[in-house]
Amino acid sequence: MKKLLLFGLFFLFTAFVLVRSSDGGPLIPVFNITQEPDVIIQGSHGAALTVDLSFGDTEVKAWLEELKTPYPLIFADPAWLERSPDLVELIIDRNIPVALLGAEGKRYEDEPKLLDEQIAVFEDHFGRKPLYFRTTDEEFPKTLQKQLFEAEVNALGSTMRWDGGKLPKKREGLILSVQHHQEERMDLKKVTELLSANEFLAIEDVLFGLETKERKFP
């Protein structure tokens, strides 16, 4: 029993080290957070902001240049990555955490090779697989969950989507998502105001609950 407990503690410690390098550098996608195919929609501590991004050039560049740590997690659309090499460079240079934004969930049932193709695009730009993946509608069919698990990419949804309205009262582990697409586009100035007015944590701190400082939200 004692050996089992020690192994469990070792695994948790190792998992965190693998997720985030000791100097706060890039995410290292080498393991699954869940023990079986599943979708993460909430953490255990604080609140994190994620931004689904598939549209924009000049205004996105200005926004990325002004971002301050702790950065939100950017879910980038593969087609946007292909047409935005300068912004990819900016994300890499500023060490902004980036994940993969996919298509609607149902497409992965109809197109079994789609996920692998999108992961390949992400790898081509960042030299690694994404640690997190999200569909645009946050629907994750069982077949997709299994594909992601086998690829060691974590399915990350959100606790709620923010449309510019009032935020909920403090809720531990909140994962907030904002959409910035051609059809559904949140003004990035509002996102900046949201970041300035609230204390958000890095996604790993929210998922693993390892942040020890008291934070207020909102």
Side-chain angles (χ1 to χ4, degrees):
M1 183 67 179
K2 188 176 181 181
K3 286 183 178 179
L4 186 61
L5 177 61
L6 288 173
F7 177 80
L9 290 172
F10 174 78
F11 174 78
L12 288 174
F13 175 75
T14 305
F16 182 69
V17 172
L18 290 175
V19 170
R20 195 181 210 170
S21 60
S22 58
D23 62 353
L27 301 178
I28 307 172
V30 292
F31 81 112
N32 291 312
I33 294 175
T34 57
Q35 294 182 340
E36 59 185 23
D38 206 350
V39 182
I40 303 164
I41 60 170
Q42 186 167 334
S44 61
H45 178 85
L49 180 65
T50 64
V51 180
D52 295 359
L53 181 59
S54 67
F55 178 81
D57 187 1
T58 305
E59 76 277 19
V60 173
K61 181 181 179 182
W63 181 70
L64 291 172
E65 288 175 337
E66 293 172 358
L67 275 180
K68 298 178 181 178
T69 56
Y71 297 130
L73 173 62
I74 307 296
F75 278 89
D77 169 75
W80 180 83
L81 290 174
E82 294 279 60
R83 64 177 183 266
S84 309
D86 292 346
L87 299 186
V88 171
E89 258 188 66
L90 180 58
I91 287 172
I92 294 171
D93 290 345
R94 298 212 63 200
N95 200 23
I96 297 171
V98 60
L100 177 60
L101 180 66
E104 298 81 7
K106 190 179 183 305
R107 281 190 61 186
Y108 297 91
E109 294 182 305
D110 301 331
E111 303 173 51
K113 295 182 179 179
L114 179 58
L115 178 63
D116 289 339
E117 292 168 356
Q118 292 177 328
I119 290 176
V121 172
F122 189 96
E123 282 188 288
D124 186 51
H125 288 284
F126 295 102
R128 60 175 178 82
K129 287 196 296 186
L131 180 56
Y132 303 110
F133 173 89
R134 173 183 290 166
T135 57
T136 52
D137 55 5
E138 296 195 26
E139 294 292 333
F140 296 84
K142 291 295 183 183
T143 51
L144 174 59
Q145 290 182 37
K146 185 178 179 182
Q147 269 189 292
L148 289 166
F149 189 79
E150 291 173 350
E152 294 188 321
V153 178
N154 296 286
L156 185 69
S158 66
T159 316
M160 71 168 288
R161 291 190 167 197
W162 187 65
D163 58 4
K166 187 177 180 181
L167 291 174
K169 292 181 179 180
K170 182 176 180 179
R171 179 174 176 179
E172 292 297 335
L174 179 72
I175 299 174
L176 203 64
S177 69
V178 173
Q179 282 66 53
H180 191 75
H181 311 303
Q182 186 169 10
E183 303 82 13
E184 182 183 4
R185 196 182 330 160
M186 175 61 63
D187 187 338
L188 292 175
K189 291 181 181 178
K190 286 189 176 182
V191 180
T192 298
E193 291 171 4
L194 177 69
L195 286 164
S196 300
N198 300 279
E199 294 285 354
F200 289 102
L201 306 178
I203 189 67
E204 290 75 37
D205 293 330
V206 172
L207 293 178
F208 293 99
L210 296 180
E211 175 68 33
T212 56
K213 293 181 181 180
E214 189 66 28
R215 302 274 187 160
K216 63 178 182 178
F217 181 87

